[in-house]
Amino acid sequence: MRYYPTIGEDEHKESEVAAMFDAIAHRYDLLNRVLSFGLDRRWRRAAIRRLGEQKNGRILDVATGTGDIALATLQLEPTEVVGIDIAEVMLMSARQKAARKFPGAPLVFMQGSAERLPFETDSFDAAVVAFGVRNFSNLDAGLRSIGRVLKPQAPLVILEFGQPDTKPVQACYGMYSRLILPRIGRVLSGFTGPYKYLPDSIKTFPHGQEFLGRLEECGFENTFAEPLTFGVVSLYTGYATGGDHSD
């Protein structure tokens, strides 16, 4: 039986999360489309629009997964896009997709941890994380690591699931995530664990003003949040203050 990480468990979380996503990599894109009713594409477009001022820059996509955001940033005509993820099978899918759709594009996909980014300080013009900060083994360490590699005043754009603001939407979303999502996930991927982990991780993850506070504590300023789809997803933005915030 495959083991899935318990929420709040730090030890070994990184390797367990990688194994979890590698297990569903073969159906990951399909699952995203089906489970979000196609809204994941709209959410990603919103993130790219937020990065729109960063044309001709070097962009970092943390927790790139199968590379959807990294590929979408090509419309900004970047000098380079680097996608990094802990799950190697997911990265294989990203590389295959990039070679098929954008041969010769300035794309690099590499395995690595958000908490220990292997890049020089102040080396990126922008960074984006789509539905990945929730899975960092150490949230603050990951945010500080991203801030270190960003140039001063470079934006960090984060898409993440949140908690709907209104009670009717909360009730519908809660029922869907607890009862329906795991069943569809099992049918399409063959695994139930990741889709039980998902609603639990969303429930315990800081959102809204609480998450903005964490961003500021980790070296970002002028932070703000934009709720999308009744607050089911939030689009967070912060600007790096520069320097090493790893302590």
Side-chain angles (χ1 to χ4, degrees):
M1 178 181 295
R2 185 176 294 276
Y3 169 75
Y4 296 99
T6 303
I7 304 307
E9 178 186 9
D10 291 332
E11 187 176 3
H12 303 312
K13 179 178 179 180
E14 184 175 299
S15 62
E16 296 298 341
V17 168
M20 177 177 66
F21 281 101
D22 277 342
I24 60 172
H26 65 298
R27 287 286 186 271
Y28 186 75
D29 290 343
L30 173 63
L31 286 160
N32 280 346
R33 301 295 100 77
V34 172
L35 294 174
S36 71
F37 304 101
L39 290 171
D40 63 305
R41 290 173 172 168
R42 179 181 298 178
W43 298 332
R44 287 181 173 87
R45 285 197 295 269
I48 297 303
R49 285 196 298 271
R50 185 63 55 79
L51 287 172
E53 63 193 47
Q54 298 303 316
K55 285 206 170 189
N56 307 121
R58 189 177 187 225
I59 300 174
L60 175 64
D61 178 16
V62 180
T64 188
T66 59
D68 277 350
I69 279 281
L71 296 177
T73 61
L74 292 176
Q75 65 188 269
L76 303 177
E77 301 175 4
T79 56
E80 183 182 44
V81 179
V82 179
I84 191 166
D85 201 285
I86 58 175
E88 179 58 33
V89 180
M90 297 281 277
L91 288 167
M92 290 171 59
S93 296
R95 295 182 188 111
Q96 291 168 1
K97 192 187 304 182
R100 185 175 67 252
K101 294 184 176 181
F102 300 97
L107 281 166
V108 176
F109 291 106
M110 60 186 295
Q111 189 174 27
S113 167
E115 293 83 357
R116 299 176 298 279
L117 290 171
F119 309 113
E120 294 182 1
T121 299
D122 299 345
S123 58
F124 285 91
D125 299 290
V128 60
V129 190
F131 308 110
V133 292
R134 193 182 66 257
N135 300 314
F136 287 1
S137 59
N138 185 309
L139 175 60
D140 291 348
L143 293 175
R144 291 190 179 102
S145 181
I146 295 171
R148 179 187 66 80
V149 303
L150 284 174
K151 296 176 182 178
Q153 297 306 306
L156 168 61
V157 175
I158 294 173
L159 271 174
E160 192 51 84
F161 291 109
Q163 299 293 335
D165 295 328
T166 63
K167 289 185 177 180
V169 178
Q170 287 177 4
C172 292
Y173 181 57
M175 182 175 66
Y176 172 72
S177 62
R178 289 194 312 272
L179 303 178
I180 299 174
L181 186 150
R183 295 179 182 179
I184 297 175
R186 183 180 65 247
V187 169
L188 293 181
S189 71
F191 295 93
T192 302
Y195 299 98
K196 289 184 177 179
Y197 168 80
L198 176 62
D200 289 344
S201 65
I202 294 171
K203 184 177 180 180
T204 59
F205 191 77
H207 66 282
Q209 289 300 317
E210 183 180 357
F211 183 67
L212 292 180
R214 296 286 283 273
L215 275 174
E216 291 166 4
E217 290 174 4
C218 293
F220 292 88
E221 61 186 8
N222 299 323
T223 62
F224 60 98
E226 178 186 352
L228 306 175
T229 315
F230 306 106
V232 169
V233 167
S234 288
L235 181 62
Y236 299 99
T237 305
Y239 294 85
T241 56
D244 190 344
H245 298 275
S246 57
D247 294 332

